[in-house]
Amino acid sequence: MAIKNELQKFINKILACFDLSSFTNSDNPSLAVNLITKNNQNTIRLAIESCHSVVDEIVVVDTGSSDETKNILKSYPKVKLIEEKEFLGYSHHRNQAIKATNSDWILVFDSDEFLSTFLAEKLRELIKSKIFSKYRMYSRWINKIYEDGSASFIAPNRKYRGRYNARTRLFRKLEGVEFRGEIHESVFGLEKIRHKDLHHEYAIYHLDVAVNSIETRLEKTLKRNQLKPGSAFPEEYLPELFNFKYIKLEANDKELLNRYLTF
C-alpha cells in the first residue's frame, strides 16, 4: 500500500507539470474563509478577527450551537451563516460551505484556530498566483498561554505525521472540488494541479491543546478516531507528555492573542 501511494504521488507530480489551470486565475481574485463551528463562543471571535479584514466573505456552518456562538457570528458583516440543527459529518458541512461560497479562492480552518499575522498579510499575494492553485500550510499548536499574555507553540516537525505536517488549507474553487471522509476529512479534486508547501511562517495557530484538558482531548480523540477506551495514543494528541520543541509567539501574534484573552 505504501509503495502504491508513493507511486501515485509521483504520477501526480508529473501530471502537475502539464497543469494549466492556474493560468486561468483572475488578476484580482476574491477570497473566502470556510469554517465549521459548534459552541465555540470562547474562540470564534479570534478566528474571525484574524481574517475579517483581508477576506471578501466568511462562510460558517453552525452545527447546533446552544451558547453565544451564533450571536457573535451575526455581529460580523462579512459572515454568511448556515444554521444546522445537528452535526451531520465533517465532509458534509465542509461541502455545504464550499457550495455557499461565491469567491474564487477558499481558505479552510477551524473555529478554534486563527491566522498568523504574517499569513493574513500575505493571503492576497498568494491567491494572485499564475503558477499555483493550491497551498499547503503548517499548523502551530499553542500548548500554553501564560499570565502575561505570551504563549508558546509546538514547532512543525516532519517526524510526526498528521497534525504537525503541512495540510491543504488554501485552494481555488475549481469544478469538482469537495471534501471526503467522515473521520479525517480531506479535500479532493485538486490532486493534479500545481501546489506549494508554504514556509511555517505562513502558519495557522490551533488552540485545542491550550484550552482543553487532557481528559477532554482524550475523549475527543477516542470519538473522532473511533478508538476503544485504553487505546494507545501517538505523541501528537498529548504533546505535553512528550519531548516536543516549543517556540514563543512572534510579537504581532502575541498582540492578536492578547485581544482574544480580553474576550
Side-chain angles (χ1 to χ4, degrees):
M1 181 63 72
I3 296 176
K4 182 179 179 181
N5 290 338
E6 290 302 316
L7 179 60
Q8 186 60 55
K9 288 180 182 178
F10 176 74
I11 293 173
N12 288 339
K13 286 182 179 180
I14 296 299
L15 292 173
C17 294
F18 302 97
D19 170 45
L20 300 177
S21 63
S22 55
F23 291 107
T24 65
N25 191 24
S26 168
D27 292 329
N28 188 29
S30 52
L31 173 62
V33 160
N34 283 182
L35 289 169
I36 302 174
T37 187
K38 181 177 181 180
N39 292 334
N40 292 113
Q41 63 179 13
N42 293 330
T43 59
I44 193 65
R45 284 187 187 275
L46 182 56
I48 301 299
E49 293 275 342
S50 72
C51 67
H52 191 269
S53 64
V54 295
V55 302
D56 299 291
E57 60 176 333
I58 303 172
V59 181
V60 183
V61 181
D62 184 275
T63 60
S65 291
S66 57
D67 61 3
E68 287 298 306
T69 298
K70 287 187 282 189
N71 289 333
I72 293 171
L73 288 168
K74 290 174 182 177
S75 69
Y76 292 96
K78 291 182 181 178
V79 170
K80 180 189 295 183
L81 181 59
I82 301 171
E83 298 185 46
E84 294 288 346
K85 293 182 179 179
E86 59 183 349
F87 178 73
L88 299 174
Y90 291 100
S91 290
H92 172 79
H93 296 304
R94 297 271 187 219
N95 292 331
Q96 269 187 301
I98 289 176
K99 290 177 182 178
T101 297
N102 296 318
S103 298
D104 301 308
W105 284 75
I106 295 174
L107 174 65
V108 174
F109 62 102
D110 293 329
S111 52
D112 59 353
E113 295 181 316
F114 65 99
L115 308 188
S116 67
T117 305
F118 184 83
L119 173 57
E121 292 173 347
K122 296 292 183 180
L123 279 173
R124 287 292 172 181
E125 182 181 322
L126 291 173
I127 66 174
K128 289 183 179 180
S129 174
K130 295 292 185 180
I131 300 175
F132 306 110
S133 293
K134 159 184 159 183
Y135 295 98
R136 303 202 315 167
M137 302 174 186
Y138 287 99
S139 295
R140 290 178 171 180
W141 287 67
I142 294 177
N143 73 304
K144 189 172 183 180
I145 303 173
Y146 304 97
E147 290 184 2
D148 65 353
S150 62
S152 59
F153 63 87
I154 302 165
N157 192 330
R158 291 173 181 262
K159 175 183 176 182
Y160 299 100
R161 299 174 60 188
R163 302 181 170 215
Y164 306 123
N165 286 339
R167 293 167 50 202
T168 299
R169 297 287 200 146
L170 178 62
F171 53 88
R172 287 182 63 200
K173 187 187 175 186
L174 299 172
E175 185 177 353
V177 172
E178 64 176 2
F179 278 86
R180 301 177 195 166
E182 294 309 312
I183 303 300
H184 295 289
E185 75 279 8
S186 299
V187 62
F188 285 79
L190 300 167
E191 295 85 356
K192 298 178 182 179
I193 67 170
R194 290 191 185 94
H195 73 275
K196 182 177 182 179
D197 285 4
L198 296 172
H199 187 269
H200 63 78
E201 284 183 307
Y202 296 83
I204 294 177
Y205 289 104
H206 198 106
L207 288 164
D208 184 45
V209 175
V211 301
N212 290 313
S213 66
I214 291 179
E215 292 75 19
T216 299
R217 281 182 281 125
L218 278 172
E219 184 179 348
K220 287 170 60 179
T221 301
L222 286 170
K223 184 176 181 180
R224 182 171 176 123
N225 294 279
Q226 297 182 339
L227 299 174
K228 296 180 180 179
S231 299
F233 292 92
E235 298 94 316
E236 63 183 84
Y237 292 107
L238 301 171
E240 61 267 57
L241 303 181
F242 297 88
N243 187 27
F244 276 85
K245 180 180 179 181
Y246 298 105
I247 300 176
K248 288 289 187 70
L249 260 68
E250 289 87 346
N252 288 340
D253 297 327
K254 177 182 173 182
E255 181 181 347
L256 188 62
L257 187 62
N258 277 328
R259 290 175 60 190
Y260 155 70
L261 294 174
T262 66
F263 298 148

